[in-house]
Amino acid sequence: EPEVTQTPSHQVTQMGQEVILRCVPISNHLYFYWYRQILGQKVEFLVSFYNNEISEKSEIFDDQFSVERPDGSNFTLKIRSTKLEDSAMYFCASRVRGGYNEQFFGPGTRLTVL
Amino acid sequence: KNEVEQSPQNLTAQEGEFITINCSYSVGISALHWLQQHPGGGIVSLFMLSSGKKKHGRLIATINIQEKHSSLHITASHPRDSAVYICAVEGGGNQFYFGTGTSLTVIP
């Protein structure tokens, strides 16, 4: 069964460093999402991406964040200068088309900023 | 502000019990999603609803658009149902809002 994959499973970085979280969505999916979940808190929407551009982003998704689909298979989330409060689990998700169908979530990347 | 409110926050049930988790939302939506988050952290989509009712095995989800309310029911609960159940609503334009989740423990 096709699945969304994410790498790495755990990333440890120093405050101020850049990190890139990688996701490989399911191959025929067209809509892509990033979410984060700070430990013990609810899941939060970061950004949705379709047709090689951002379709929606939340207030959390400020200038420190960017997304890219560099090669037609990977979908990446970059955090330019990490802060302690960026420590969280980051989930990628994809779906075939927007609206009226389910999302498939990746296993998540745990980001720890020291 | 919380666009999505879930209740209860925590729920403990005996195996075999009928379980109801409630979700209320305050924004206009195109769809509502019920998700299951396992103890290891992985998230699985259970249902996507825009109206009415859906059933999948022992799980039933309903939505009342006028009242901005949805319920997730689990019949004949089992210890393997123990997880966090999350209600998420999809606003216009591919934006999502999540509830804080309901942590369910089913005791044998």
Side-chain angles (χ1 to χ4, degrees):
Chain A
E1 185 174 323
E3 58 183 17
V4 177
T5 59
Q6 289 185 243
T7 54
S9 56
H10 190 190
Q11 172 100 40
V12 181
T13 190
Q14 294 289 328
M15 190 169 58
Q17 294 295 304
E18 174 182 287
V19 294
I20 297 175
L21 309 183
R22 291 184 166 79
C23 169
V24 179
I26 294 172
S27 63
N28 64 334
H29 286 190
L30 301 177
Y31 288 78
F32 314 111
Y33 305 85
W34 281 104
Y35 301 96
R36 80 171 185 191
Q37 186 175 33
I38 295 169
L39 188 63
Q41 297 187 23
K42 67 180 180 181
V43 177
E44 298 173 292
F45 169 78
L46 292 178
V47 66
S48 57
F49 191 86
Y50 168 71
N51 200 26
N52 275 325
E53 59 184 28
I54 291 172
S55 52
E56 280 289 339
K57 59 183 181 178
S58 71
E59 293 174 354
I60 303 166
F61 195 89
D62 61 20
D63 292 344
Q64 292 299 311
F65 291 89
S66 62
V67 289
E68 196 177 34
R69 189 155 159 80
D71 56 12
S73 62
N74 290 282
F75 179 50
T76 61
L77 175 70
K78 182 193 290 186
I79 309 175
R80 288 192 183 82
S81 178
T82 49
K83 308 183 189 73
L84 295 176
E85 55 265 37
D86 293 326
S87 294
M89 183 75 93
Y90 289 81
F91 292 100
C92 171
S94 70
R95 62 182 178 179
V96 173
R97 59 186 185 276
Y100 307 111
N101 57 91
E102 65 179 326
Q103 292 185 57
F104 292 81
F105 287 81
T109 292
R110 178 163 299 286
L111 175 65
T112 302
V113 182
L114 302 176
Chain B
K1 64 173 184 182
N2 287 324
E3 292 85 0
V4 181
E5 298 279 357
Q6 280 186 243
S7 63
Q9 284 193 324
N10 296 285
L11 183 55
T12 301
Q14 292 288 330
E15 183 174 355
E17 281 187 14
F18 181 85
I19 287 161
T20 296
I21 299 170
N22 295 298
C23 174
S24 296
Y25 55 92
S26 58
V27 295
I29 68 168
S30 58
L32 182 143
H33 300 251
W34 281 103
L35 310 170
Q36 182 189 54
Q37 186 167 32
H38 295 284
I43 298 174
V44 174
S45 176
L46 298 175
F47 291 104
M48 192 208 63
L49 294 162
S50 55
S51 65
K53 177 179 173 178
K54 285 191 177 179
K55 185 174 189 291
H56 189 205
R58 295 179 294 105
L59 273 58
I60 302 165
T62 63
I63 187 168
N64 185 319
I65 297 291
Q66 286 73 29
E67 294 186 5
K68 295 191 173 180
H69 181 268
S70 175
S71 293
L72 176 69
H73 306 286
I74 305 175
T75 61
S77 58
H78 191 275
R80 64 174 174 266
D81 297 327
S82 298
V84 176
Y85 292 83
I86 300 169
C87 174
V89 299
E90 184 171 356
N94 242 355
Q95 163 90 273
F96 284 81
Y97 304 93
F98 289 78
T100 52
T102 295
S103 179
L104 171 66
T105 302
V106 181
I107 299 168

